[in-house]
Amino acid sequence: MRGMNGMNMQQMMKQAQKMQKQMMAEQQDLAQQEFVGKAPDDMVTVKMNGEKKLLDLQIKKEAVDPDDIDMLTDLILTAVNDGMKQVDDATKQKMGKYTKGLGL
C-alpha cells in the first residue's frame, strides 16, 4: 500500500503542475485582452487590459462643462467601474474553474 500512496502523490503533483501551467497561460491571455468601459451615451470611454491598467481614456467635449465638474467625475467613475467589472467578470469566467471549491 505504501508504494501506491507514493504513486498517487506523484500523479497529484504532476496534475497540480499541469494545472498551474494552464492557470498561468490563461492569466497571461487575460492580461493581454482589452476591455472597454463606457459611461451613458459614450460620453466617457476607457480602455483597460486584463490587469486593470488604464490604456486609454476618451472624453467627448459635450461632457466637459466647467460649471459641472461633478458630472464629468461621475461619468469617468462610471466608465472606469464598467471596465473593471468586465475584467472581473472575464477573470471569474476564465479562472473560476481553478478556484471552485477552494473558497477563493
Side-chain angles (χ1 to χ4, degrees), residues 3-17:
M4 193 156 168
N5 281 342
M7 183 75 141
N8 287 343
M9 186 59 119
Q10 208 170 20
Q11 283 178 315
M12 282 175 51
M13 291 298 289
K14 280 184 180 178
Q15 277 298 112
Q17 287 173 345

Side-chain angles (χ1 to χ4, degrees), residues 83-97:
M84 287 203 194
K85 183 182 181 325
Q86 290 180 41
V87 173
D88 287 342
D89 290 347
T91 301
K92 282 180 191 164
Q93 186 177 5
K94 256 192 190 292
M95 306 309 288
K97 61 187 166 213

Side-chain angles (χ1 to χ4, degrees), residues 14 20 49 54 60 68 71 73-74 86 94 100:
K14 280 184 180 178
Q20 187 177 17
N49 66 17
L54 200 55
K60 286 188 176 178
D68 194 0
M71 181 187 74
T73 302
D74 288 343
Q86 290 180 41
K94 256 192 190 292
K100 194 187 292 184

Side-chain angles (χ1 to χ4, degrees), residues 38-45 58-60 62-63 71 75 78:
K38 298 179 178 186
D41 298 324
D42 296 343
M43 294 295 259
V44 176
T45 58
Q58 298 290 319
I59 300 172
K60 286 188 176 178
E62 306 89 77
M71 181 187 74
L75 290 170
T78 299

Side-chain angles (χ1 to χ4, degrees), residues 15-73:
Q15 277 298 112
Q17 287 173 345
K18 183 179 176 185
M19 198 160 73
Q20 187 177 17
K21 281 182 184 174
Q22 288 174 332
M23 278 177 60
M24 288 173 65
E26 292 203 38
Q27 282 175 324
Q28 286 176 336
D29 180 52
L30 197 62
Q32 292 173 4
Q33 287 184 34
E34 290 185 355
F35 300 86
V36 177
K38 298 179 178 186
D41 298 324
D42 296 343
M43 294 295 259
V44 176
T45 58
V46 298
K47 189 186 298 181
M48 59 181 56
N49 66 17
E51 294 178 322
K52 296 183 183 176
K53 280 189 180 169
L54 200 55
L55 304 173
D56 191 27
L57 168 67
Q58 298 290 319
I59 300 172
K60 286 188 176 178
K61 62 182 173 188
E62 306 89 77
V64 182
D65 180 351
D67 297 325
D68 194 0
I69 297 299
D70 287 343
M71 181 187 74
L72 178 56
T73 302

